[in-house]
Amino acid sequence: MTKVVFMGTPAFSVPILDGLVEAGYDVLAVVTQPDRPVGRKKILTAPPVKEAAVTHGLPVYQPEKIGGSMELDAIIALEADVIITAAFGQFLPEKLIQSPKFGAVNVHASLLPKYRGGAPVHYSIMKGDNETGVTIMEMVKKMDAGDILSQGAIPILPTDDVGSMFDKLSMLGRDLLLETLPRLIKGEITPLKQDESRVTYSPNITREEEKIDFNKTAEEIDWQVRGMRPWPVAYTIYHDTRWKLWDVSVVRDEVTSEAPGVIIKKDKQSLWISCGAGTVLSINRIQPAGKGQLSIVEFVNSVGQNVKVGNRLG
């Protein structure tokens, strides 16, 4: 039976861990990030992968930083055949990568060499890509630069956001990993080097990137809103208050000569905003500062009553 150490942290990683257990791999241990305070009440919360590991009765390690930790030597001493990582959230030390017989294998949520880094799913939607996918790759010291063992692609639908794509990609990653591992162990795979001339990056989203720039077209803003939902959520500013925009859509066949960010239509059911290149955006779901999410009907008939055509966002 193939001995595995699994390393992952968010919900994306859980189906992959579950798949390994259900397929009969001998999961010796699960390594994940420490429990963190969550929410306004700062309740100490376990990562989703820890909860799954406990359900399976697996030993759990949670080093704050695995490099130089006491847990590092303990994990190496397990003598796993292969280490599997999926959104673990830390760089692995070289001696850990080199310790298993078949090395360390990463499940990465992009079609490498596109979008190396920590936010590939966010970027694939924000850039308006038609497809994304999963890469099973050999881990090396340089971030996401290892040779490719296998890849699988899926379309990004106009209704998809980060949440829905993570759900789809985690299942794709599980299935692709379970197809790839037996072939790797049998020596049936010839790893493919990444084309360095085609490398792009997807660094973690900054606070500045969350703010909507209405000089962009309505379609680009729709990509941004979906590429930041359900986290970190794109926002705009109205009279020094922050409005998070949860759902928007392009108003097709409408053009405007108003400056970007100006409210051009408001009635009991809609709120339209002028955007770059004369395009028009409809805000469908909004969260004013200090409030919960509101449909635009709820908004314009309550806290948005004083919002007027001609006011400006941004």
Side-chain angles (χ1 to χ4, degrees):
M1 185 181 296
T2 303
K3 297 181 295 184
V4 172
V5 167
F6 182 81
M7 308 178 73
T9 298
F12 169 79
S13 317
V14 171
I16 300 167
L17 171 61
D18 290 344
L20 289 167
V21 173
E22 291 162 7
Y25 286 90
D26 182 10
V27 181
L28 303 174
V30 172
V31 188
T32 188
Q33 299 275 13
D35 297 359
R36 305 287 190 199
V38 172
R40 292 183 178 179
K41 295 184 178 179
K42 305 294 182 186
I43 298 172
L44 196 62
T45 303
V49 163
K50 179 182 179 180
E51 294 182 350
V54 170
T55 300
H56 291 299
L58 300 172
V60 176
Y61 295 91
Q62 293 182 278
E64 187 68 44
K65 183 179 179 183
I66 192 164
S69 67
M70 293 176 59
E71 291 90 344
L72 176 60
D73 289 337
I75 295 165
I76 292 174
L78 293 172
E79 298 185 339
D81 295 316
V82 60
I83 290 174
I84 307 294
T85 69
F88 173 53
Q90 296 184 27
F91 286 103
L92 303 194
E94 185 73 17
K95 70 175 185 178
L96 180 59
I97 293 173
Q98 297 299 330
S99 62
K101 186 190 308 182
F102 300 107
V105 172
N106 179 235
V107 183
H108 188 76
S110 83
L111 296 172
L112 292 171
K114 198 172 186 179
Y115 301 138
R116 290 180 182 176
V121 179
H122 293 75
Y123 274 82
S124 62
I125 297 174
M126 289 193 296
K127 295 293 184 182
D129 292 351
N130 294 319
E131 70 170 11
T132 183
V134 169
T135 300
I136 310 296
M137 53 169 281
E138 294 179 335
M139 290 202 71
V140 295
K141 192 170 183 179
K142 186 177 178 183
M143 182 181 67
D144 300 332
D147 291 353
I148 294 170
L149 301 174
S150 60
Q151 285 186 318
I154 55 174
I156 299 174
L157 304 178
T159 53
D160 275 321
D161 61 14
V162 171
S164 67
M165 289 312 301
F166 263 118
D167 290 343
K168 295 177 184 180
L169 290 169
S170 64
M171 303 306 285
L172 175 64
R174 176 200 63 184
D175 294 345
L176 190 61
L177 177 68
L178 294 178
E179 292 173 10
T180 304
L181 267 183
R183 297 176 57 221
L184 174 69
I185 291 166
K186 291 177 183 175
E188 296 176 352
I189 295 178
T190 301
L192 177 67
K193 290 197 176 300
Q194 295 187 39
D195 182 349
E196 293 293 325
S197 69
R198 296 175 51 235
V199 171
T200 60
Y201 294 94
S202 60
N204 292 334
I205 305 296
T206 66
R207 295 291 287 175
E208 291 73 23
E209 288 174 308
E210 295 169 24
K211 186 177 179 182
I212 291 171
D213 177 2
F214 287 100
N215 289 297
K216 295 180 179 177
T217 67
E219 185 171 42
E220 290 171 329
I221 294 170
D222 175 47
W223 297 341
Q224 180 183 3
V225 169
R226 290 189 292 114
M228 294 193 180
R229 188 177 70 211
W231 77 93
V233 185
Y235 73 91
T236 186
I237 300 294
Y238 176 75
H239 288 181
D240 296 327
T241 63
R242 181 173 297 203
W243 289 358
K244 292 182 178 179
L245 301 189
W246 284 88
D247 184 47
V248 300
S249 57
V250 179
V251 183
R252 306 290 179 186
D253 302 324
E254 286 286 339
V255 294
T256 178
S257 59
E258 288 285 356
V262 171
I263 297 172
I264 60 171
K265 177 182 176 183
K266 179 200 171 190
D267 57 30
K268 292 184 177 180
Q269 297 184 335
S270 56
L271 190 67
W272 289 5
I273 314 298
S274 59
C275 300
T279 57
V280 177
L281 187 79
S282 174
I283 297 177
N284 303 323
R285 181 162 287 273
I286 192 169
Q287 183 177 9
K291 304 289 184 182
Q293 291 184 47
L294 300 171
S295 70
I296 205 61
V297 174
E298 294 169 326
F299 174 77
V300 298
N301 290 292
S302 57
V303 295
Q305 286 185 342
N306 293 327
V307 174
K308 301 183 185 309
V309 171
N311 289 164
R312 192 164 183 171
L313 308 181

